[in-house]
Amino acid sequence: MWKGALVILILAVFLMWLQYPRKVSQQEYDSHIKDKVVLLCGASSGIGEQLAYKLGKQGAQLLLVARTQSKLDKVKEGAIKAGAKRVETLSFDFSNVENSGDVVTKVIELFGQLDYLILNHASMVSGFMMKNKRYQEPKFISRVFNINLLSYYELTFKALPHLEVTKGHIFATSSMAGEIPGAMSILYTSSKHALNGFAYSLQQELVARKSPVGITIGALGMIITDDIRALLGENLEATPAYARGDVDECATGIMDSLVIRQRTLTYPVMAGKMVRLLWYFNPYFHELMVNMIPMDKAEEIMKSFKEKAAERNFQTGNY
């Protein structure tokens, strides 16, 4: 047993070294980010908020999109202070798939072009699906997929003609949940699996068409924002330190992807590589995951999370 685990660890370290993104120079930021027009969806908190500040520091022009205008106003102020050339905001709910493409129309009206499309919005749904009747309702399921998948289709195809003019790039925030199963998040996990199928297949079509546009898919694990740290409290320790990602470092990785244009950004790197290897090569992966966090413990953590979220009026999902 230990020999198999050792082999997996060695392979994970090797793959981490092989695929770890290179550092981006200031000169590259100046040529690839400064003055460029970025449509940043899911910009009101967490990764999107930090990304707005980092892009702002490099002198980008931003259209920030999310549901809550008051939060967008705060992020706008921070991005301007950081050094953004220009920042506009748009309050929009991406469960409205039919009108999602209007967001792209808006960025063209405001800035006249589009260099980068960052799809970072998502509806976070956690909890055991068999125990929650609401999660089984077709209307609820449709809403989650509208936000996490179908709005990505609409935005992408509306943006592609403009991105081909500027030889731009797309970043789609997915998750390790898009590659492995997760009993505590069936709806979120299945929507991210579908997103990966879409994004990687489109990535291949763009290569076949010799398009100047590229796509990076973000295979992200647990990213520790201030809200997540407060909501999980001592339960945060249930996740090993190497599997907890820093939000600032994650945002830097996403910005760097606009320059490097790698096909996948895995973060945290070590955790992502190890989980992939375990899923593909360990026939007892399900048992491993269930034993790691037993069902009763998982339910206890989720109950505490939801109670604290209600107390803080925290919106699960950045769309």
Side-chain angles (χ1 to χ4, degrees):
M1 182 73 176
W2 69 268
K3 290 181 179 178
L6 181 60
V7 169
I8 288 172
L9 178 60
I10 292 170
L11 281 170
V13 172
F14 173 71
L15 288 172
M16 181 180 72
W17 170 79
L18 192 65
Q19 298 184 22
Y20 201 88
R22 64 174 176 82
K23 284 189 174 293
V24 175
S25 68
Q26 186 58 53
Q27 185 178 3
E28 288 177 304
Y29 284 140
D30 290 343
S31 61
H32 290 83
I33 305 296
K34 187 178 180 181
D35 298 328
K36 301 298 184 183
V37 177
V38 184
L39 172 53
L40 175 52
C41 303
S44 61
S45 62
I47 297 170
E49 178 181 358
Q50 295 306 313
L51 187 52
Y53 301 151
K54 289 190 174 294
L55 290 165
K57 185 178 179 180
Q58 299 303 330
Q61 303 184 74
L62 306 170
L63 175 58
L64 308 176
V65 188
R67 285 174 295 175
T68 310
Q69 186 61 50
S70 59
K71 291 184 177 181
L72 287 172
D73 291 340
K74 172 181 170 289
V75 178
K76 175 180 178 177
E77 183 180 349
I80 290 171
K81 284 182 179 178
K85 183 176 180 179
R86 180 183 174 190
V87 183
E88 302 291 345
T89 63
L90 178 64
S91 174
F92 187 83
D93 187 332
F94 285 106
S95 63
N96 179 0
V97 175
E98 291 78 9
N99 295 320
S100 293
D102 294 346
V103 174
V104 177
T105 302
K106 186 67 175 179
V107 77
I108 299 302
E109 287 177 358
L110 288 169
F111 297 94
Q113 67 182 66
L114 177 61
D115 296 286
Y116 300 119
L117 171 63
I118 299 177
L119 302 167
N120 180 61
H121 55 288
S123 174
M124 305 289 292
V125 182
S126 55
F128 292 106
M129 195 166 178
M130 291 177 67
K131 296 192 70 173
N132 193 318
K133 294 297 183 184
R134 182 174 177 238
Y135 290 177
Q136 300 171 29
E137 295 172 1
K139 187 175 180 180
F140 184 82
I141 294 169
S142 294
R143 179 179 173 80
V144 172
F145 272 77
N146 282 348
I147 297 163
N148 291 3
L149 178 66
L150 298 184
S151 67
Y152 280 52
Y153 273 77
E154 188 71 13
L155 287 158
T156 297
F157 289 115
K158 196 86 170 186
L160 272 171
H162 304 288
L163 291 170
E164 292 202 313
V165 171
T166 59
K167 299 181 180 178
H169 197 71
I170 300 169
F171 186 93
T173 300
S174 187
S175 168
M176 286 308 300
E179 300 185 33
I180 64 169
M184 287 178 62
S185 56
I186 290 177
L187 267 182
Y188 178 75
T189 296
S190 55
S191 69
K192 289 299 185 180
H193 271 74
L195 172 59
N196 280 5
F198 162 63
Y200 281 116
S201 298
L202 179 60
Q203 197 178 68
Q204 192 175 97
E205 182 178 347
L206 291 169
V207 170
R209 294 182 63 246
K210 294 182 171 56
S211 172
V213 180
I215 304 176
T216 298
I217 293 90
L220 307 183
M222 177 181 279
I223 308 302
I224 308 303
T225 63
D226 290 340
D227 283 322
I228 293 299
R229 183 176 285 105
L231 292 172
L232 285 176
E234 62 183 20
N235 290 319
L236 187 60
E237 299 305 315
T239 303
Y242 67 83
R244 302 197 295 262
D246 176 75
V247 66
D248 185 78
E249 193 173 63
C250 179
T252 298
I254 294 173
M255 181 172 68
D256 289 356
S257 295
L258 304 180
V259 179
I260 301 169
R261 296 183 173 226
Q262 77 272 38
R263 289 175 179 169
T264 303
L265 170 67
T266 302
Y267 183 80
V269 181
M270 174 65 85
K273 304 299 184 187
M274 287 183 67
V275 166
R276 281 193 188 108
L277 287 168
L278 286 169
W279 169 235
Y280 285 112
F281 296 106
N282 185 351
Y284 300 103
F285 180 85
H286 293 317
E287 288 77 9
L288 176 69
M289 297 303 290
V290 170
N291 291 331
M292 189 179 296
I293 306 180
M295 191 170 180
D296 57 346
K297 177 63 175 177
E299 290 183 323
E300 181 185 316
I301 291 172
M302 288 312 307
K303 181 181 178 183
S304 172
F305 182 93
K306 289 176 180 178
E307 286 174 351
K308 289 181 179 179
E311 289 171 6
R312 293 168 61 91
N313 195 28
F314 174 72
Q315 294 177 318
T316 53
N318 189 11
Y319 63 93

